[in-house]
């Protein structure tokens, strides 16, 4: 079925742009369109974006100068109604400039700025060329992801100012917050322009937690990068390591055992549960209702204790390995999981009923931090943030991996009901609250179903000792924040040539600037928590 | 104190004795060497360890730097006879070189439970300050794993506030800075400024392998390779992430340090 779709897709692109295309290829669920000239990029991207029902998934730049290929940029589009990724590939041919696609595809903005910082290539036509990843202490002629740059280089600091957007006018003042915040959270800077109490403009400045993960991976062994992928964002360890492993498995064409697929699914869902419960607790705290938070945090702690009994880590570090998983879930542990989720889910249900009955709590969430649907669509946001405005994206359904192929079947009636349900969602903090509650229940269900099945085909498949250099593939998973995409190009001697990570947070951070508009400043923590974005996962 | 701490858990009024809070058997915590000799295996061990926590000292000894170990278990998987991973936490220390151990078997002090440490801490804080101990948490580029555990200190089960320890929202109110992350370059200035904004006397605690040594992120163009390369550190808490049990132990060490420093 998918193969047919792929062929249709390829035909459609070739028929429109035959003379602009050098080569067309496909492998697994990925189509590669190589262009003759990078200047044709905007038209073709725009066509794929508007006519083929896709969204921009990521933009990947690689420094292939050593392989006589100069810098290569890959624009990856994800088809919304089929399990297909379309790569539009072009090489830069000695130039340091490439055409920007921001005016047609707004979601491209941050990717282009990132490429400018890390590779020193300039997106011509992008109106915002301020530094993004590397802050003002960094000189503007050193580019860390170029191959000639050594990971350990210590660059001298320099003093510069970052030009924030200024809002002028009668009675407008600026409030700047961070990077060190009042609560126990990660670092980021927020600059509000307010008129009275209302937020007129918010500018986020991130990348304080930039640790050079992508560059670091190029100097590590494959199983070390696995540890690194877990630490992209500590609370997304299973999702990110699953995506990483799947990319390597896809490159080396290894099929993992059923048992491993189920185990990945179970751990992935357990991760979603403890984080969603934690976020719901956080929402309750920020809405000023400590009692609800306390009750939910007890459940989060219980889930973390369950995590530890199963995997040896409270935040599920170390469950994956390339080719499968590390830990078997014994019969005793199966019982433990069932008992625990039975207890937790019944407690959870009671707490939620209780919270819903508190009108002051519900009032606080209702209408706060509304995400405008059109902008959400244009920025290509993912996960709970997208689902709360009725944009039905979920990697588990759109590109089934692990055991989600099984949990995927919906009857036409269910699909209909889901669609009606989606239409009702209004994009405010309350909608995000409700979506999370629903997903916790769904996750419990998936865990129960995955436990039922008994396979005995081992925990992992061996991957080949030597993977073909310069082969590449895309791995993906749905974390509790949304889709996480990992693209890997292998290098020589089983090294990694390029590891491009795009977590859900990278897509979603921009939306907060729109969600808080016209809310009051004290709403911000609540809106922020209800979106639950990772700083580390964004900053890498 | 004879009365046992009990807490209401879950929906029913069910109580659990907190002295019984236990660490799961398979928790991946501290690496220890068994009595087997490491002779001849050192180079291999060195190459297996992703953070270079294991390194060769002389022909018969290896050193283990707890401040670098991320508890991945790779060494014990490859050499189950030479070393094992236990469900215990490595201890916090006052100096960086105390985090390092040798492959000769070592004596370990009997461990105290979270509750025992908490009570001891409570008494000391009361005596020393006559008020609560104020902590400001700073994330200097962590993966957020350490934050999850620090947040857990505030949940109703660990509930650290009952020992007279509170998290405050400004460095100006803080006695202790709890810092996580490898001190990313982008956070360097902010970290330094926050430190300067904290009134003296102040104690800085580096939390997690990243803060102690750079951890898996090491020392690179984007990191500074540990908090102590930016500000002076008084207590190091190893782990990736450190459990609440060892976080509170680190706080006790910090308070002890304040007592000996004499404020
Ligand atoms: S468990 Fe610690 S010592 Fe062993 S390999 Fe991992 S980081 Fe190194
Ligand atoms: S020590 Fe480990 S858990 Fe803590 S921030 Fe570093 S990588 Fe994350």
């Amino acid at each position: 079925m998918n193969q047919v779709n792929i062929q249709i897709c390829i035909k459609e692109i070739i028929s429109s742009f035959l003379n602009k295309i050098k080569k067309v290829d496909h492998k697994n669920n990925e189509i590669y369109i190589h262009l003759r000239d990078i200047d044709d990029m905007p038209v073709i991207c725009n066509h794929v974006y508007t006519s083929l029902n896709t969204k921009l998934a990521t933009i990947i730049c690689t420094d292939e100068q050593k392989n006589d290929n100069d810098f290569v940029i890959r624009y990856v589009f994800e088809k919304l109604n089929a399990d297909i990724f379309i790569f539009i590939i072009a090489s830069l041919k000695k130039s340091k400039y490439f055409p920007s696609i921001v005016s047609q595809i707004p979601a491209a903005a941050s990717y282009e700025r990132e490429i400018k910082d890390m590779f020193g290539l300039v997106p011509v036509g992008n109106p915002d060329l301020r530094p993004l990843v590397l802050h003002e202490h960094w000189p503007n002629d050193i580019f860390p992801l170029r191959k000639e740059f050594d990971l350990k280089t210590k660059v001298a600091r320099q003093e510069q100012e970052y030009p924030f957007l200024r809002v002028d006018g009668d009675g407008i003042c600026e409030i700047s917050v961070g990077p060190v915040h009042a609560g126990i959270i990660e670092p980021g800077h927020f600059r509000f322009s307010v008129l009275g109490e209302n937020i007129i403009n918010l500018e986020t400045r991130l990348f304080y937690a930039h640790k050079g993960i992508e560059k670091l991976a190029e100097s590590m062994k494959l199983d070390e990068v696995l540890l690194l992928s877990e630490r992209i964002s500590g609370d997304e360890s299973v999702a990110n390591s699953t995506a990483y492993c799947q990319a390597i498995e896809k490159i080396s064409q290894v099929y993992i055992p059923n048992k491993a697929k189920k185990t990945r699914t179970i751990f992935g869902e357990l991760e979603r549960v403890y984080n969603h419960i934690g976020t719901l607790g956080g929402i309750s705290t920020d809405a000023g209702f400590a009692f609800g938070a306390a009750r939910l945090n007890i459940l989060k702690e219980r889930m973390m204790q369950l995590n530890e009994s199963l995997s040896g880590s409270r935040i599920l570090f170390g469950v994956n390995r390339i080719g499968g998983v590390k830990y078997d879930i014994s019969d005793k542990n199966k019982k433990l999981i069932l008992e625990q989720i039975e207890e937790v889910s019944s407690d959870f249900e009671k707490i939620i009923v209780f919270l819903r009955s508190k009108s002051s709590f519900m009032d606080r969430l209702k209408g706060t931090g509304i995400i405008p649907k059109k902008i959400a669509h244009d920025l290509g946001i993912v996960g709970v943030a997208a689902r709360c405005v009725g944009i039905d994206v979920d990697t588990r359904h759109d590109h089934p991996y692990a055991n989600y192929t099984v949990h995927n079947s919906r009857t036409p009636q269910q699909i209909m009901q889901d669609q009606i349900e989606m239409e009702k969602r209004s994009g405010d903090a309350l909608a995000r609250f409700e979506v999370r509650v629903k997903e916790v229940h769904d996750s419990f269900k998936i865990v129960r179903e995955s436990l039922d099945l008994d396979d005995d085909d081992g925990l992992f498949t061996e991957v080949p000792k030597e993977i073909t250099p310069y082969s590449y593939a895309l791995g993906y998973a749905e974390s509790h924040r949304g889709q996480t995409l990992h693209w890997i190009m292998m290098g020589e001697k089983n090294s990694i040539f390029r590891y491009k990570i795009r977590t859900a947070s990278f897509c979603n951070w921009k939306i907060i600037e729109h969600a808080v508009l016209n809310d009051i400043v004290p709403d911000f923590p609540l809106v922020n928590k209800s979106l639950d974005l990772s700083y580390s996962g964004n900053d890498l | 104190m004879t009365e046992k701490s009990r807490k209401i858990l879950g929906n029913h009024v069910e109580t659990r004795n907190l002295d019984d809070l236990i660490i799961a058997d398979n928790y991946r915590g501290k690496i220890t060497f068994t009595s087997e000799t490491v002779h001849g295996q050192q180079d291999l061990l060195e190459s297996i360890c992703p953070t270079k926590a294991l390194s060769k000292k002389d022909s018969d000894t290896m050193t283990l730097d707890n401040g670098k170990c991320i508890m991945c278990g790779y060494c014990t998987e490859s050499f189950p006879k030479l070393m094992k991973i236990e469900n215990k936490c490595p201890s916090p220390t006052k100096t960086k070189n105390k985090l390092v151990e040798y492959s000769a078997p070592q004596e370990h002090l009997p461990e105290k439970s979270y509750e025992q440490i908490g009570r001891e801490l409570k008494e000391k804080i009361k005596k020393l300050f006559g008020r609560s101990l104020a902590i400001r948490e700073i994330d200097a580029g962590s993966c957020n794993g350490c934050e999850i555990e620090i947040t857990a200190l505030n949940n109703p089960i660990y509930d650290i506030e009952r020992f007279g320890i509170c998290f405050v929202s400004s460095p100006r109110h803080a006695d202790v800075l709890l810092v996580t992350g490898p001190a990313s370059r982008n956070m360097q200035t902010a970290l330094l400024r926050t430190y300067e904004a904290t009134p003296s006397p102040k104690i800085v605690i580096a939390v997690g392998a990243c803060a102690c040594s750079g951890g898996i992120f090491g020392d690179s163009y984007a990191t500074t390779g540990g908090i102590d390369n930016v500000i002076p550190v008084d207590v190091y808490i190893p782990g990736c992430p450190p459990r609440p049990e060892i976080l509170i132990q680190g706080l006790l060490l910090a308070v002890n340090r304040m007592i000996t420093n004499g404020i």
Side-chain angles (χ1 to χ4, degrees):
Chain A
M1 176 59 195
N2 213 28
Q3 284 307 315
V4 179
N5 280 333
I6 288 179
Q7 291 307 337
I8 296 174
C9 236
I10 293 180
K11 240 190 227 139
E12 148 55 68
I13 299 171
I14 293 184
S15 66
S16 319
F17 298 104
L18 184 61
N19 54 356
K20 295 188 186 334
I21 293 171
K22 192 159 72 181
K23 197 173 90 187
V24 176
D25 227 347
H26 69 95
K27 202 172 166 190
N28 303 313
N29 58 353
E30 299 166 19
I31 300 175
Y32 313 115
I33 317 268
H34 297 262
L35 302 190
R36 284 181 206 283
D37 190 348
I38 193 153
D39 290 331
D40 295 328
M41 187 67 82
V43 255
I44 298 181
C45 282
N46 195 28
H47 177 82
V48 171
Y49 183 61
T50 48
S51 317
L52 288 180
N53 192 14
T54 62
K55 67 186 275 226
L56 182 69
T58 180
I59 303 179
I60 307 158
C61 183
T62 50
D63 176 0
E64 300 179 31
Q65 294 185 94
K66 276 207 197 103
N67 311 359
D68 270 347
N69 221 351
D70 208 0
F71 290 100
V72 179
I73 304 186
R74 294 174 170 81
Y75 295 70
V76 186
F77 291 88
E78 176 190 355
K79 230 167 139 32
L80 292 177
N81 47 1
D83 178 17
I84 298 174
F85 289 93
I86 304 170
F87 287 63
I88 316 280
I89 307 169
S91 148
L92 243 64
K93 301 220 190 68
K94 305 275 173 266
S95 152
K96 295 285 164 276
Y97 300 92
F98 66 101
S100 164
I101 56 170
V102 170
S103 55
Q104 297 110 356
I105 308 169
S110 328
Y111 298 102
E112 291 183 353
R113 281 174 74 187
E114 188 189 15
I115 291 173
K116 179 175 164 283
D117 275 16
M118 304 305 275
F119 291 91
L121 307 173
V122 183
V124 180
N126 187 326
D128 185 3
L129 293 178
R130 291 174 299 170
L132 182 75
V133 184
L134 304 165
H135 284 184
E136 51 276 16
H137 58 74
W138 191 268
N140 34 23
D141 54 353
I142 302 181
F143 310 109
L145 279 177
R146 287 196 180 179
K147 287 287 168 189
E148 75 250 16
F149 180 87
D150 181 64
L151 171 71
K152 304 255 178 220
T153 321
K154 290 285 176 195
V155 179
R157 294 182 80 89
Q158 56 170 44
E159 291 302 323
Q160 275 174 33
E161 269 295 307
Y162 181 80
F164 281 98
L165 188 81
R166 278 188 61 93
V167 180
D168 284 326
D170 257 1
I172 295 208
C173 20
E174 233 176 39
I175 306 176
S176 67
V177 184
V180 178
H181 296 283
I184 306 174
I185 55 167
E186 299 175 72
H189 180 90
F190 304 103
R191 193 158 289 209
F192 301 91
S193 300
V194 294
L195 183 61
E197 275 203 293
N198 290 22
I199 303 170
I200 304 293
N201 186 55
L202 164 64
E203 189 171 358
T204 53
R205 176 125 209 259
L206 300 170
F207 292 90
Y208 286 92
H210 176 67
K211 298 177 278 288
I213 291 180
E214 290 179 358
K215 183 77 183 178
L216 185 57
E218 293 172 11
S219 67
M220 282 179 150
K221 289 183 266 183
L222 288 184
D223 53 358
E224 292 172 356
V225 181
L226 173 64
L227 300 173
L228 189 63
S229 71
E230 288 174 343
R231 287 158 181 83
I232 289 170
S233 179
D235 51 4
E236 282 173 37
S237 59
V238 180
N240 280 321
S241 60
T242 300
Y244 167 75
C245 290
Q246 281 170 355
I248 302 276
E249 287 149 14
K250 209 163 153 194
I251 296 174
S252 44
Q253 299 285 333
V254 161
Y255 297 94
I256 71 166
N258 274 334
K259 190 169 191 158
K261 286 185 182 168
K262 279 170 201 161
T263 316
R264 271 185 191 170
T265 307
I266 292 170
F267 281 123
E269 294 305 323
L270 288 177
E271 177 172 271
R272 193 180 322 280
V273 170
Y274 93 81
N275 280 302
H276 273 349
I277 294 182
T279 306
L280 292 169
I283 292 178
S284 191
T285 308
D286 286 339
F289 192 44
F291 180 67
R295 296 273 295 269
L296 286 163
N297 282 332
I298 292 174
L299 301 185
K300 178 184 179 189
E301 176 65 28
R302 282 190 171 183
M303 291 309 292
M304 282 169 66
Q305 287 171 2
L306 175 65
N307 291 346
E308 182 181 84
S309 323
L310 300 175
S311 72
S313 160
R314 283 160 56 85
I315 54 175
L316 297 169
F317 277 168
V319 297
N320 274 313
R321 59 171 289 165
I322 297 169
V325 289
K326 274 225 173 106
Y327 303 106
D328 195 3
I329 297 180
S330 64
D331 288 335
K332 187 169 139 256
N333 279 343
K334 274 185 198 160
K335 233 182 95 204
L336 182 72
I337 298 178
L338 285 175
E339 277 169 19
Q340 276 294 327
I341 60 177
E342 187 60 48
E343 261 185 51
V344 171
S345 68
S346 89
D347 270 6
F348 180 71
E349 187 53 45
K350 285 177 195 149
I351 299 168
I352 296 301
V353 169
F354 175 76
L355 282 177
R356 283 193 189 125
S357 73
K358 296 287 161 231
S359 55
S360 61
F361 175 76
M362 298 301 271
D363 272 353
R364 189 79 183 80
L365 302 190
K366 199 157 190 261
T368 308
I370 300 177
I371 294 179
K373 191 166 182 174
K374 167 85 173 64
I375 297 180
H377 180 266
D378 286 348
L379 292 178
I381 70 169
V382 296
V384 173
R387 294 194 282 275
C388 82
V389 270
I391 299 177
D392 192 6
V393 286
D394 186 334
T395 319
R396 293 173 292 173
H397 301 146
D398 304 341
H399 312 282
Y401 58 95
N403 205 34
Y404 295 111
T405 34
V406 180
H407 300 289
N408 220 359
S409 46
R410 288 187 291 181
T411 61
Q413 196 194 356
Q414 278 166 334
I415 294 177
M416 194 64 174
Q417 271 168 356
D418 283 357
Q419 269 169 2
I420 294 171
E421 177 65 24
M422 281 283 170
E423 282 305 317
K424 284 192 211 148
R425 294 184 180 168
S426 55
D428 58 0
L430 184 59
R432 291 188 280 283
F433 178 88
E434 294 295 350
V435 170
R436 285 208 167 81
V437 170
K438 178 176 179 296
E439 288 187 9
V440 169
H441 288 303
D442 291 350
S443 295
F444 281 136
K445 188 161 157 271
I446 297 177
V447 172
R448 282 196 198 100
E449 285 169 8
S450 307
L451 278 174
D452 266 1
L453 308 149
D454 282 304
D455 296 83
D456 219 2
D457 49 358
L459 288 177
F460 61 92
T461 320
E462 283 293 346
V463 280
K465 283 268 166 309
E466 176 95 41
I467 302 172
T468 330
Y470 306 108
S471 48
Y472 55 80
L474 200 59
Y476 37 78
E478 182 82 8
S479 74
H480 58 280
R481 300 199 166 92
Q483 182 186 63
T484 170
L485 268 187
H486 295 221
W487 184 82
I488 293 169
M489 180 185 249
M490 294 299 296
E492 270 145 33
K493 301 203 197 80
N494 258 15
S495 64
I496 285 185
F497 184 80
R498 174 92 171 94
Y499 184 15
K500 165 73 191 166
I501 304 156
R502 194 232 65 201
T503 61
S505 307
F506 189 85
C507 304
N508 287 0
W509 261 112
K510 278 277 149 207
I511 201 69
I512 198 168
E513 295 178 354
H514 302 276
V516 296
L517 289 187
N518 291 321
D519 280 345
I520 58 175
V521 179
D523 282 337
F524 176 74
L526 178 61
V527 179
N528 195 3
K529 189 68 221 177
S530 72
L531 283 165
D532 180 35
L533 303 163
S534 165
Y535 301 65
S536 181
N538 174 77
D539 304 353
L540 300 176
Chain B
M1 205 186 281
T2 45
E3 124 224 31
K4 295 221 161 164
S5 314
R6 303 187 82 90
K7 304 235 78 189
I8 299 167
L9 287 183
N11 213 28
H12 344 278
V13 186
E14 161 210 332
T15 59
R16 190 191 292 179
N17 186 351
L18 278 173
D19 281 314
D20 300 339
L21 255 186
I22 41 160
I23 302 181
D25 293 339
N26 57 342
Y27 170 64
R28 265 171 290 120
K30 195 176 161 5
I31 297 286
T32 43
F33 293 96
T34 59
S35 47
E36 302 257 334
T37 166
V38 291
H39 184 80
Q41 315 276 17
Q42 290 144 308
D43 291 335
L44 251 175
L45 271 169
E46 252 188 44
S47 73
I48 282 172
C49 180
T51 56
K52 309 280 167 288
L54 292 169
S55 68
K56 187 170 171 170
K57 176 135 189 297
D58 54 48
S59 67
D60 278 314
T61 339
M62 284 300 307
T63 58
L64 165 70
D65 186 343
N66 282 309
K68 289 187 179 159
C69 176
I70 56 167
M71 298 153 169
C72 64
Y74 282 7
C75 53
T76 53
E77 275 163 34
S78 309
F79 291 93
K81 282 206 184 118
L82 283 184
M83 43 216 324
K84 56 182 196 290
I85 195 157
E86 292 179 307
N87 69 338
K88 298 202 173 76
C89 305
S91 314
T93 62
K94 289 187 198 169
T95 56
K96 203 166 187 172
N97 46 24
K98 279 213 183 123
L99 289 167
V100 180
E101 293 177 7
Y102 301 98
S103 55
Q106 305 217 328
E107 284 276 313
H108 287 291
L109 299 171
E111 284 174 41
K112 292 183 203 154
S113 73
Y114 179 82
E115 285 301 309
Q116 286 166 329
I117 300 173
R119 282 183 217 133
E120 193 180 331
L121 199 49
K122 185 176 173 183
E123 262 161 45
K124 285 190 171 159
I125 293 173
K126 201 169 163 192
K127 220 152 101 207
L128 191 60
F129 294 98
R131 58 161 170 90
S132 291
L133 179 76
I135 303 179
R136 171 68 262 180
E137 199 266 350
I138 308 170
D139 179 334
S142 87
C143 79
N144 83 25
C146 285
E147 270 62 38
I148 298 178
E149 292 296 37
I150 295 175
T151 315
L153 286 174
N154 278 327
N155 75 27
I157 294 184
Y158 286 103
D159 190 15
I160 199 165
E161 214 153 306
R162 73 202 142 104
F163 301 128
I165 292 169
C166 62
F167 285 83
V168 292
S169 27
S170 164
R172 302 238 185 251
H173 308 154
D175 306 304
V176 172
L177 295 178
L178 213 52
V179 193
T180 64
S184 62
R185 251 183 83 109
N186 286 350
M187 267 304 282
Q188 210 171 336
T189 316
L191 176 57
L192 198 61
R193 284 201 194 148
T194 313
Y195 176 78
E196 282 163 359
T198 313
S200 291
K202 51 195 161 193
I203 289 269
V204 176
I205 308 182
V207 178
C210 286
C212 293
S213 67
I216 190 152
F217 305 109
D219 191 4
S220 72
Y221 78 94
T223 67
T224 57
I227 301 301
D228 55 4
N229 291 327
V230 185
I231 56 174
V233 171
D234 302 288
V235 173
Y236 295 85
I237 303 183
C240 185
R243 293 181 66 97
E245 284 81 3
I246 178 185
L247 290 172
I248 195 169
Q249 219 172 315
L251 285 169
L252 179 61
L253 201 62
V255 169
N256 284 344
R257 187 156 187 157
M258 286 179 166
I259 294 173
T260 45
N261 285 3
I263 17 170

